Amino acid sequence: MHSIPIDKTPSFSKLSLDEQLLSAVNKMGFEQPTPVQLQAIPLALDHKDLLVSAETGSGKTAAFLLPTLQHLLSLPSGKSGTRALVLTPTRELAQQIFKHCQQLTEFTGLKTGLITGGDDFRLQQNMLRRNTDIVIATPGRVLELMDQEIPDFSNLEVLILDEADRMLDMGFSEDVLSIANSCNTRRQTLLFSATLTHFGVIKMADKVLTNHKVVALNTLYDGHRNIEQQIVLADDNDHKLKLLTWLLQHETYNKALVFTNSRIQADTLRGPLRGQKLRVGVLHGEMDQKDRNRMMELFRDGEVKIILATDLAARGLDIKGINLVINFDVPRNGINYIHRIGRTGRVDELGLTIALVKHTEWNLMSGIERFLKQKFKQRRIKELEGKYKGPKKLKASGKATGGKSKIEPKKAAAEKVKIRHRDKKNVGKRRIPTVKSDVAVN
Ligand code: AMP
């Protein structure tokens, strides 16, 4: 995960788009690309699968339409069938995107079609038979047409899931997956959602995206309504093992997932936990499929209540009743953290997630907090209190420990005076708000 420097004078002409598209953009009065356009378009032009957090109003429609249209223009297809499909939750949205697409294709000769419930079925069938290049649709009607074996997505080049979180909230999860499964497997997939911390979106991303990049604008975190997030400080891995054992013995949970950053770490923890009479299974990428399936079955049936897993092994894990997630190792980036905690706290369930953080992981954990725009609750386990209390600076201000400030009185007074001088100097001056455009790509 790293930030991408934003060009100070962004312009559409720098985005490697054909003249026909630039003329349309110009005619629509777009002078500069919006942040999501600036980030997503180059990656999409590079044929990457993308998971993008962007809200309505951010310019997301052009962020997925422009690279898709560019692709259709640069690689004319000799094959039959629809070349690009946009799925969106409501008829109104589909109409809006259709209009947007017609404006953007005005100088191109590309054909755009609209498929929504309530409109004439026959006309839609005919439109699909005429090999419309790009189709904007709601999932329900596409499925109805698929029952008649009309749409041909076997040569589809780009699949776009717009407002995926809303589609899933509206109950379209199965429909969207059926449609995605009927599409060319070598297609590019762009998944847009207002939030990336939605349980369904994470699962959907696991299923439909391949080696995807993430473009996260500042709408990333939705507060993850059902999940309480805690951190517990630890001295080292031995201390972490004691804390982990204690938590697994004292917390109330149905099923627990413990994440490690490596297969070896997962294997190492199994023995000592079993020694404490905890029924623990391991799930990692190097196990053969038969063993993995067997382990999932045991976990699903509740015979094994605790699974030690690596990130890779947990992708796509869809098991009900996981209400405790422990990060034995702090994940390497914010997106992995979201994937991990997304396994708990489904819409109708409550979840608790605890990260065990040693001093070498503090910065990583703070980075994740910044990424999510969240401060996690620090919890102490009295029985197993360690020596590590957080970084010195925070200790001094009492933030990490909740204790009293340890700044020496003289120094603290000098600090105060400095602040007052600065405030006086700035009296009457207008504060310029800083524009935040957090963009993270991994
Ligand atoms: P969207 O988030 O795609 O629904 O777009 C919101 C509104 O912003 C629409 O009215 C677009 O036409 C407009 N829009 C999209 N991109 C730009 C841009 N680069 N400059 C100005 N307006 C834009």
Side-chain angles (χ1 to χ4, degrees):
M1 183 178 66
H2 59 271
S3 295
I4 289 183
I6 293 174
D7 190 337
K8 290 206 175 67
T9 52
S11 100
F12 279 102
S13 58
K14 290 183 186 158
L15 287 177
S16 311
L17 298 169
D18 275 14
E19 269 313 311
Q20 295 119 293
L21 295 175
L22 290 177
S23 304
V25 163
N26 199 20
K27 190 170 171 191
M28 289 169 84
F30 297 180
E31 285 170 9
Q32 287 188 347
T34 64
V36 66
Q37 291 163 358
L38 207 54
Q39 302 308 315
I41 292 174
L43 290 169
L45 284 174
D46 208 16
H47 292 282
K48 298 276 188 299
D49 276 9
L50 296 185
L51 174 60
V52 183
S53 76
E55 281 178 351
T56 304
S58 61
K60 66 181 172 63
T61 314
F64 59 71
L65 284 180
L66 281 170
T68 302
L69 298 173
Q70 180 59 46
H71 169 80
L72 300 185
L73 286 173
S74 6
L75 292 169
S77 158
K79 295 179 180 155
S80 62
T82 305
R83 298 185 65 195
L85 173 67
V86 181
L87 292 178
T88 193
T90 65
R91 204 192 303 181
E92 293 68 30
L93 267 170
Q95 281 161 348
Q96 224 168 283
I97 298 169
F98 176 68
K99 210 172 130 214
H100 210 117
C101 197
Q102 281 189 315
Q103 289 173 309
L104 288 174
T105 50
E106 184 179 345
F107 306 108
T108 65
L110 291 169
K111 284 184 287 179
T112 309
L114 176 68
I115 292 187
T116 59
D119 288 341
D120 193 308
F121 203 82
R122 279 264 163 86
L123 284 179
Q124 293 180 352
Q125 282 178 324
N126 290 339
M127 181 266 286
L128 284 167
R129 285 200 185 98
R130 285 197 305 270
N131 294 337
T132 306
D133 298 291
I134 175 161
V135 169
I136 323 294
T138 48
R141 179 52 70 93
V142 174
L143 269 191
E144 279 169 33
L145 285 156
M146 275 169 62
D147 286 344
Q148 314 279 319
E149 292 179 15
I150 306 292
D152 175 8
F153 300 137
S154 58
N155 293 318
L156 195 90
E157 291 156 57
V158 189
L159 172 66
I160 295 149
L161 306 181
D162 178 43
E163 306 222 353
D165 47 343
R166 250 176 98 188
M167 280 204 281
L168 302 181
D169 286 343
M170 287 167 72
F172 287 136
S173 171
E174 289 305 313
D175 294 1
V176 171
L177 274 180
S178 310
I179 297 167
N181 289 337
S182 79
C183 296
N184 176 9
T185 50
R186 280 176 303 150
R187 66 177 192 263
Q188 177 186 33
T189 309
L190 310 176
L191 195 159
F192 280 67
S193 169
T195 166
L196 298 187
T197 53
H198 186 292
F199 180 76
V201 171
I202 294 166
K203 278 201 307 171
M204 180 67 67
D206 286 347
K207 289 177 184 161
V208 301
L209 302 177
T210 317
N211 292 331
H212 63 276
K213 295 268 173 197
V214 175
V215 177
L217 282 109
N218 48 4
T219 52
L220 185 74
Y221 194 76
D222 68 355
H224 226 291
R225 50 202 179 269
N226 299 322
I227 300 180
E228 157 120 22
Q229 299 178 75
Q230 302 175 346
I231 55 176
V232 177
L233 297 179
D235 295 338
D236 49 29
N237 279 4
D238 287 343
H239 187 204
K240 279 192 179 192
L241 176 59
K242 287 185 191 133
L243 290 165
L244 175 66
T245 310
W246 188 93
L247 288 165
L248 291 171
Q249 286 170 336
H250 291 84
E251 280 298 328
T252 315
Y253 56 93
N254 233 323
K255 293 187 172 85
L257 255 180
V258 179
F259 280 99
T260 60
N261 286 354
S262 74
R263 174 184 63 77
I264 296 167
Q265 184 64 273
D267 280 335
T268 313
L269 295 176
R270 177 173 39 188
L273 291 176
R274 283 195 177 161
Q276 295 296 319
K277 304 214 166 15
L278 289 161
R279 279 189 67 87
V280 187
V282 175
L283 208 55
H284 56 67
E286 281 168 44
M287 285 163 72
D288 74 33
Q289 196 56 44
K290 223 175 82 204
D291 291 341
R292 287 179 55 150
N293 291 348
R294 171 89 190 115
M295 187 49 72
M296 301 249 241
E297 225 171 84
L298 289 172
F299 193 43
R300 192 170 281 123
D301 296 345
E303 301 232 1
V304 165
K305 275 182 71 173
I306 304 157
I307 287 275
L308 293 158
T310 55
D311 293 289
L312 204 68
R315 289 276 157 115
L317 192 72
D318 181 12
I319 290 178
K320 275 199 169 178
I322 300 174
N323 41 13
L324 176 64
V325 170
I326 299 179
N327 286 307
F328 184 85
D329 295 318
V330 173
R332 296 190 178 99
N333 59 50
I335 290 297
N336 275 1
Y337 182 85
I338 289 172
H339 276 279
R340 290 181 181 186
I341 65 165
R343 307 289 150 206
T344 183
R346 296 167 68 136
V347 179
D348 49 348
E349 292 168 356
L350 284 173
L352 171 63
T353 169
I354 305 165
L356 307 181
V357 184
K358 55 185 179 183
H359 76 283
T360 49
E361 294 172 311
W362 178 272
N363 285 344
L364 193 56
M365 196 68 223
S366 309
I368 292 171
E369 285 181 322
R370 281 197 301 278
F371 180 65
L372 297 172
K373 298 177 180 51
Q374 264 266 308
K375 266 251 159 276
F376 303 144
K377 202 188 275 176
Q378 197 170 308
R379 170 175 169 187
R380 283 168 160 177
I381 294 170
K382 262 191 273 145
E383 294 84 339
L384 291 167
E385 194 86 52
K387 291 189 197 80
Y388 180 53
K389 307 285 181 206
K392 290 215 172 71
K393 246 196 316 192
L394 284 182
K395 257 198 313 187
S397 65
K399 266 186 201 158
T401 59
K404 283 190 184 132
S405 168
K406 291 198 178 80
I407 300 180
E408 301 136 56
K410 257 191 194 168
K411 217 170 155 195
E415 287 280 40
K416 257 190 197 167
V417 172
K418 243 195 246 165
I419 293 165
R420 277 195 224 114
H421 277 318
R422 199 175 52 217
D423 286 350
K424 272 187 194 159
K425 272 203 281 182
N426 290 337
V427 168
K429 283 189 189 160
R430 202 160 58 90
R431 284 189 59 189
I432 301 163
T434 44
V435 179
K436 243 193 179 169
S437 173
D438 289 0
V439 181
V441 176
N442 85 343

